[in-house]
Amino acid sequence: MDVLNSAAPPDCGRRIIPKIIDDIASSDPQRTLIAVCKSSRIEDGFVNISYSAFARAVNRCSWWMESELGRSKTSKTVLYFGPLDYRYYIVLLAATKTGHVAFLSSHRNSLEANLSLLDSTHCQTMLLATGAPAMAREVLAVRPLQLLLVPEIDYFMDDGTDVEIYQWQGAFDEVKDKIFLILHTSGSTGLPKPVFVTHGVFASNDAHQLIPSLGGSPTVINFLAGKRILVAFPPFHAANLFLTMGYNVFSDITCVLPPPGPPTADVINAIHLYGDVDGSILPPSTIIDIFNTSEYLLNMTTKLEFVAYVGGVLSKEVGDSISSKMKLLTLVGATELGYLPVKVTDKATAWQYLPLSPFLGHEYRQSRDGLSELVIVRNSGLELFQGVFSVFPNLDEYATSDLYELDPTDPGNPDSWFFSSKERRHHRL
């Protein structure tokens, strides 16, 4: 437990996203952050967005935001609605740099849900880009908000003119418990509730790199490091953000983004063909659609090193078949936790298992129907790995509401826990 990964970067687990991006933009400006489609035709290929280009866009957006809103000294909340492009990340970081907090609402939310979230986040400002969902205008029709029209992405990405760096200073101990962005629960059992995600939650995902390899198996962040991966979740979704603005930045991953629009099996297959990706992180429903199309399944299993899923359950039939042909990873997380440190195994038949590193500081507590609930217990020695307690500083333990079952066919294996169901108390990635 006290042997740390010597390959981890300096200050790992104590780094803050806006500063890391600025630092990389200075020290390694041409390193690729994300890759996006060159055109509406995926077969035209992808263009790499460097850290320097992205940091410049964030700086330009920050100066624009300050000119329109000023610098906030009270962490004023701003709601952003736009098309599903990487302006979400630019606006998120510009809001942080100017003292604001970006609130990202799902395009799937109802009018009632959005109005409730505006109330609970005390939000009175909307940033709106052309191509945003019609719901944004529906909100404005019934709720008077300060409205700012966000420029097109080419304005922020213009590399023909210099832009002054918008300085942002934030030492880890000063900002780790401050809100980085606001997301929300799924609302599956009522109106969605806001989740105030701190810098500390993201930093705890960085700390996964410190976790020693247990039994020779790295955790997911170690496995993904340096790889080029397709991320098929919208940019307002936690499963996307903890990759594109988390693991991605922390461990030199390149996230390949689909074009705006539904990530159908057709779209994903085209990216597998033309995106030069090592692997994909997909919703289970998309994997099932690919599985049911023999051509798409063949492309995925022969062209990719791995495929991972998060956000639901994959049937044993589908998972067993895919894992016999390629590496299949099961990921898990929550909005207030980020991704959990799942150890990666080479055993193909263990794809359903979620072997969590003990550095999470978790226990399985007996619940109902023979199931056990995953509970994270505060431990001062594991503080860097337990970012959830920067969201809930008054708690000594956090009950995730995720119910797990120990594989009855492998009861002697402490890593054979798999997700079964949940109590509806929080939002799982």
Side-chain angles (χ1 to χ4, degrees):
M1 289 285 290
D2 55 4
V3 179
L4 299 182
N5 184 348
S6 60
D11 295 324
C12 184
R14 298 179 59 84
R15 301 185 296 168
I16 303 298
I17 292 295
K19 189 172 188 310
I20 301 175
I21 289 176
D22 282 344
D23 289 347
I24 296 174
S26 174
S27 63
D28 191 6
Q30 296 310 308
R31 186 192 300 184
T32 300
L33 174 67
I34 54 176
V36 298
C37 293
K38 289 181 178 178
S39 71
S40 58
R41 288 165 38 92
I42 294 173
E43 55 266 39
D44 289 340
F46 289 74
V47 59
N48 293 335
I49 306 298
S50 68
Y51 272 83
S52 61
F54 182 79
R56 186 168 54 245
V58 171
N59 287 325
R60 186 171 281 116
C61 187
S62 299
W63 289 115
W64 168 80
M65 199 175 291
E66 181 182 281
S67 70
E68 298 290 338
L69 294 175
R71 284 189 61 88
S72 175
K73 296 181 180 180
T74 59
S75 299
K76 179 181 176 182
T77 302
V78 293
L79 168 63
Y80 175 64
F81 270 126
L84 301 179
D85 60 33
Y86 61 98
R87 257 176 301 184
Y88 268 84
Y89 315 136
I90 295 171
V91 169
L92 165 62
L93 292 173
T96 300
K97 282 193 162 189
T98 58
H100 298 84
V101 175
F103 165 38
L104 308 180
S105 180
S106 170
H107 286 196
R108 308 181 188 103
N109 279 344
S110 67
L111 176 60
E112 181 185 17
N114 276 312
L115 295 176
S116 175
L117 287 166
L118 286 170
D119 289 337
S120 53
T121 59
H122 308 289
C123 181
Q124 298 179 333
T125 302
M126 180 189 292
L127 308 182
L128 182 65
T130 301
M135 173 55 63
R137 291 291 180 182
E138 293 179 29
V139 170
L140 291 169
V142 297
R143 177 66 59 87
L145 297 172
Q146 180 184 15
L147 176 64
L148 271 70
L149 298 179
V150 178
E152 294 298 319
I153 202 164
D154 288 346
Y155 168 80
F156 297 126
M157 293 301 296
D158 176 22
D159 61 0
T161 56
D162 291 331
V163 57
E164 182 182 353
I165 295 175
Y166 195 102
Q167 298 293 340
W168 185 84
Q169 301 297 329
F172 177 75
D173 289 330
E174 295 172 356
V175 304
K176 67 183 178 66
D177 297 332
K178 292 185 178 179
I179 301 168
F180 180 29
L181 76 159
I182 302 174
L183 301 174
H184 58 77
T185 60
S186 63
S188 56
T189 58
L191 290 174
K193 294 179 173 56
V195 179
F196 300 93
V197 185
T198 64
H199 290 280
V201 176
F202 276 78
S204 69
N205 275 207
D206 182 23
H208 293 178
Q209 295 181 92
L210 295 172
I211 298 173
S213 177
L214 301 177
S217 296
T219 59
V220 170
I221 193 170
N222 303 122
F223 175 79
L224 296 178
K227 290 182 170 61
R228 183 178 171 97
I229 60 174
L230 165 61
V231 179
F233 292 86
F236 55 73
H237 196 291
N240 176 304
L241 290 161
F242 279 105
L243 283 165
T244 55
M245 291 288 104
Y247 274 7
N248 188 19
V249 179
F250 296 136
S251 60
D252 193 23
I253 297 166
T254 296
C255 287
V256 177
L257 306 180
T264 63
D266 294 340
V267 169
I268 299 306
N269 177 65
I271 298 174
H272 288 168
L273 291 175
Y274 302 106
D276 190 29
V277 294
D278 299 308
S280 288
I281 299 180
L282 308 172
S285 59
T286 304
I287 292 181
I288 292 169
D289 289 343
I290 291 172
F291 178 80
N292 289 329
T293 306
S294 58
E295 177 188 353
Y296 295 175
L297 180 62
L298 179 64
N299 289 336
M300 183 176 76
T301 56
T302 57
K303 293 184 178 297
L304 272 58
E305 176 186 343
F306 74 94
V307 65
Y309 73 94
V310 66
V313 177
L314 192 65
S315 74
K316 191 173 188 306
E317 174 192 2
V318 173
D320 284 348
S321 177
I322 292 175
S323 67
S324 70
K325 300 177 177 69
M326 68 185 304
K327 193 171 194 63
L328 174 63
L329 299 174
T330 303
L331 309 183
V332 67
T335 309
E336 55 269 63
L337 292 164
Y339 282 98
L340 300 188
V342 178
K343 294 183 288 182
V344 179
T345 176
D346 290 329
K347 188 177 180 182
T349 56
W351 65 270
Q352 279 184 299
Y353 296 165
L354 286 162
L356 298 176
S357 167
F359 275 70
L360 182 61
H362 63 288
E363 298 176 0
Y364 294 99
R365 301 247 181 103
Q366 187 172 354
S367 180
R368 57 175 172 80
D369 303 326
L371 304 176
S372 297
E373 181 175 16
L374 178 68
V375 178
I376 300 172
V377 181
R378 187 192 284 265
N379 182 329
S380 59
L382 301 176
E383 183 179 2
L384 287 183
F385 306 98
Q386 297 184 327
V388 67
F389 296 114
S390 72
V391 179
F392 303 109
N394 296 323
L395 296 183
D396 289 323
E397 58 182 43
Y398 180 73
T400 66
S401 79
D402 285 345
L403 300 181
Y404 286 74
E405 183 177 356
L406 194 62
D407 188 347
T409 67
D410 196 9
N413 179 0
D415 282 340
S416 67
W417 291 94
F418 61 91
F419 176 78
S420 177
S421 61
K422 74 184 291 83
E423 303 286 358
R424 291 291 180 181
R425 293 202 299 264
H426 81 302
H427 178 51
R428 188 165 174 258
L429 287 184

